[in-house]
Amino acid sequence: TQNEEQLMNRLVLKQLMEKLPEKDREIIVRRYFENQTQTRIAEDLNISQVQVSRLEKKILREMRERLTS
């Protein structure tokens, strides 16, 4: 059922998130769960928006790779 699928997705996401380094996890949580902009995150982490964008792409790619391995 749809509820079971949603539960499984949450469990898989939780496992993937737990394996992330703290800074990576913070970026993903702030972007996708707290809906913060890359610019806002960059200001708080004292890095550029471009760096946040690159990090976000790298983190998501690594999470996808873990899913398929």
Side-chain angles (χ1 to χ4, degrees), residues 2-69:
Q2 187 175 357
N3 286 344
E4 290 170 348
E5 189 174 330
Q6 286 178 337
L7 177 61
M8 285 302 296
N9 288 340
R10 280 195 213 119
L11 291 172
V12 169
L13 180 60
K14 184 176 187 284
Q15 287 177 332
L16 289 171
M17 295 287 290
E18 286 173 352
K19 293 178 182 176
L20 292 176
E22 189 174 335
K23 182 179 178 182
D24 292 358
R25 185 170 44 246
E26 179 180 355
I27 290 170
I28 296 302
V29 167
R30 291 176 69 172
R31 285 288 290 143
Y32 293 95
F33 297 93
E34 298 174 3
N35 298 314
Q36 292 185 14
T37 64
Q38 290 179 347
T39 302
R40 170 69 195 273
I41 295 167
E43 290 170 359
D44 291 347
L45 297 179
N46 205 24
I47 59 177
S48 72
Q49 177 273 323
V50 172
Q51 286 173 296
V52 172
S53 177
R54 288 181 183 146
L55 283 167
E56 182 182 335
K57 286 178 187 166
K58 176 188 76 77
I59 296 162
L60 294 175
R61 182 178 60 249
E62 289 172 356
M63 288 174 74
R64 277 192 297 273
E65 288 170 0
R66 284 193 185 120
L67 263 181
T68 59
S69 62

